Amino acid sequence: MNKKYTTTLNTRPFMYRETKLIASLIDEGLDEDLIKVKVVEDNVLGLQSKDRRNRFYHEIKKRLGHLDDFLFEHFLVSDSQTSKLILLYAISSKDTLFYEWMREVVLDKWLTLDYVIHRHDTLTFFDKKVEQNETVGKWKDSTIERLANAYHQTLVDAEYASSEDEKIRLQRPIIAPDVERYLKRNKEKQLVEVLLGEVMQ
């Protein structure tokens, strides 16, 4: 099966501030057309080109579409760490390849008590995908290098890891108890395990 993998995180990274802003506009009751005008024409995100504004807007909208009402509300009102973990949930839900990296590399690190992810760990993951997937097999080495950087930076931006030279060090997320309970009870077990860094019974 040739899964649909993308390199979205290369050009549309974590975008926490931008996502919070658009989520706030949605919460205010603005319709989609007006929000798009604010983003593209009024440039509320502060991006130089209209093309970049468009791409950011559409990617953020897709990510927010993976949040139900509970998670959307808590993304807006929770402390920053919980809010960032909810955004990491949305990205992992939308981006299949990123989720698989989280599952195969990050969760494995948590479970083996080895909290450092080296660049080599992530590039080895991509080497396997090159062999397994026709789409990834066609990507240039430079594209994969940038994507490896983007994956590591996404965890740093999410406060899920800290940056140390050519590696990152995982740090246990501190999440609001009600959000943690909700994820465990209502969301896909495999994805929640990845986010919390633990195997659920």
Side-chain angles (χ1 to χ4, degrees):
M1 180 179 176
N2 201 43
K3 296 179 183 177
K4 186 179 179 182
Y5 291 143
T6 69
T7 59
T8 303
L9 283 170
N10 272 351
T11 54
R12 279 142 287 180
F14 194 60
M15 302 189 296
Y16 177 67
R17 179 190 68 84
E18 294 87 350
T19 306
K20 281 291 282 270
L21 180 55
I22 289 178
S24 297
L25 295 175
I26 293 171
D27 190 55
E28 289 172 15
L30 275 64
D31 66 37
E32 188 175 322
D33 290 340
L34 184 53
I35 293 172
K36 189 173 181 180
V37 167
K38 283 183 171 293
V39 172
V40 178
E41 303 301 331
D42 299 344
N43 194 21
V44 293
L45 299 183
L47 301 169
Q48 286 189 342
S49 73
K50 281 192 175 183
D51 177 63
R52 192 163 172 79
R53 295 171 209 165
N54 259 311
R55 287 188 283 116
F56 269 49
Y57 169 70
H58 287 295
E59 177 61 19
I60 288 170
K61 192 173 71 168
K62 288 176 186 175
R63 292 178 186 179
L64 289 174
H66 285 272
L67 301 182
D68 60 20
D69 290 344
F70 178 92
L71 291 178
F72 183 87
E73 177 186 353
H74 282 74
F75 172 66
L76 283 172
V77 303
S78 295
D79 62 274
S80 65
Q81 275 207 314
T82 297
S83 184
K84 287 178 179 179
L85 194 75
I86 291 172
L87 179 52
L88 191 63
Y89 166 87
I91 293 170
S92 302
S93 297
K94 180 199 166 288
D95 191 318
T96 302
L97 187 57
F98 179 75
Y99 161 74
E100 290 180 4
W101 174 72
M102 289 284 288
R103 185 87 197 171
E104 296 172 29
V105 178
V106 179
L107 182 59
D108 184 67
K109 291 286 186 177
W110 282 124
L111 298 182
T112 57
L113 307 182
D114 173 12
Y115 304 132
V116 175
I117 300 177
H118 295 271
R119 188 171 179 76
H120 172 75
D121 297 322
T122 298
L123 292 177
T124 298
F125 164 82
F126 280 114
D127 286 343
K128 293 177 184 175
K129 296 302 175 183
V130 165
E131 295 175 2
Q132 296 169 356
N133 184 271
E134 183 180 338
T135 300
V136 181
K138 293 178 180 176
W139 291 346
K140 296 178 180 178
D141 289 346
S142 58
T143 298
I144 291 174
E145 292 271 348
R146 288 198 307 274
L147 202 54
N149 291 339
Y151 281 16
H152 287 201
Q153 189 60 47
T154 294
L155 293 195
V156 172
D157 290 345
E159 297 183 38
Y160 194 94
S162 58
S163 180
E164 298 181 358
D165 298 322
E166 287 288 300
K167 58 186 181 290
I168 57 173
R169 182 177 295 275
L170 297 175
Q171 48 198 33
R172 185 71 61 181
I174 299 172
I175 181 171
D178 57 338
V179 173
E180 181 174 348
R181 284 193 300 271
Y182 182 81
L183 288 170
K184 287 180 173 179
R185 290 173 182 171
N186 297 282
K187 295 304 176 182
E188 181 189 344
K189 178 174 176 279
Q190 289 188 320
L191 179 51
V192 176
E193 286 178 340
V194 164
L195 290 174
L196 300 181
E198 62 186 53
V199 173
M200 293 162 49
Q201 301 302 319

